[in-house]
């Protein structure tokens, strides 16, 4: 069974690489965030529209394990699945190099919701994410 509920294909741009010719570590966080935002769009919700409604999902913690570096021009697949723990939504995100399906990054992203300035349970996300949630390990 495929555990992933969403995947996005991207390509490394030259300016994302450092002097060593590999993607700078900070850019992986951008890839992960972009994947979460695109997942929201695929589910019918815009991150920007949520903000105008006073609903702000924010990262509370992120853990990234770097496995294999990407280089300029590499295509990669960013995948995710989702679990709920208390008021947190936890995104499990993995990036694979497209050419050989080699694992590049493994990340766990804890997100919480701030509604009108208060940390709280989000009915919007509870409803939106219900079909996507994984409860098993």
């Amino acid at each position: 069974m495929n555990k992933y509920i969403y995947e996005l294909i991207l390509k490394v741009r030259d300016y994302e690489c450092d002097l060593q010719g590999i993607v700078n570590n900070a850019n992986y966080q951008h890839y992960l965030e972009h994947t979460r935002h695109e997942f929201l769009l695929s589910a019918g919700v815009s991150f920007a529209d949520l903000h105008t409604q006073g609903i702000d999902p924010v990262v509370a913690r992120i853990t990234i394990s770097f496995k294999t570096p990407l280089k300029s021009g590499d295509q990669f697949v960013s995948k995710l699945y989702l679990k709920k723990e208390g008021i947190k939504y936890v995104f499990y995100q993995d990036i694979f190099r497209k050419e050989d399906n080699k694992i590049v990054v493994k990340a766990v992203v804890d997100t919480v919701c701030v509604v009108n300035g208060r940390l709280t349970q989000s009915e919007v996300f509870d409803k939106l994410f219900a079909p996507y949630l994984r409860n098993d390990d």
Side-chain angles (χ1 to χ4, degrees), residues 43-107:
V45 175
S46 160
F47 192 81
D49 290 346
L50 288 171
H51 176 73
T52 61
Q53 298 169 39
I55 302 169
D56 292 301
V58 295
V59 171
R61 178 180 308 164
I62 186 166
T63 305
I64 303 173
S65 297
F66 300 95
K67 303 295 186 179
T68 303
L70 290 170
K71 296 179 180 178
S72 181
D74 281 348
Q75 285 193 327
F76 60 94
V77 183
S78 182
K79 301 180 181 187
L80 66 77
Y81 65 94
L82 174 65
K83 292 184 180 180
K84 185 170 184 193
E85 297 176 6
I87 66 167
K88 295 186 304 187
Y89 280 99
V90 181
F91 288 85
Y92 294 85
Q93 294 187 249
D94 299 328
I95 294 176
F96 299 87
R97 188 168 51 207
K98 194 166 190 278
E99 173 186 11
D100 57 7
N101 205 37
K102 193 163 188 178
I103 186 73
V104 172
V105 161
K106 293 185 79 50

Side-chain angles (χ1 to χ4, degrees), residues 3-72:
K3 63 185 172 183
Y4 301 105
I5 59 170
Y6 183 77
E7 57 184 65
L8 180 66
I9 297 172
L10 296 165
K11 184 177 178 180
V12 175
R13 296 161 289 207
D14 293 339
Y15 65 85
E16 296 169 330
C17 297
D18 57 24
L19 288 173
Q20 299 160 317
I22 60 175
V23 171
N24 180 277
N25 66 82
N27 285 311
Y28 292 100
Q29 194 161 343
H30 294 287
Y31 300 155
L32 298 168
E33 181 175 33
H34 185 65
T35 302
R36 291 191 307 277
H37 288 201
E38 290 295 314
F39 166 67
L40 283 176
L41 284 172
S42 76
V45 175
S46 160
F47 192 81
D49 290 346
L50 288 171
H51 176 73
T52 61
Q53 298 169 39
I55 302 169
D56 292 301
V58 295
V59 171
R61 178 180 308 164
I62 186 166
T63 305
I64 303 173
S65 297
F66 300 95
K67 303 295 186 179
T68 303
L70 290 170
K71 296 179 180 178
S72 181

Side-chain angles (χ1 to χ4, degrees), residues 115-134:
V115 178
N116 297 319
R118 281 189 56 235
L119 177 65
T120 187
Q121 188 80 22
S122 170
E123 292 179 22
V124 170
F125 287 117
D126 287 346
K127 189 178 204 179
L128 179 71
F129 292 153
Y132 303 105
L133 287 176
R134 289 182 49 97

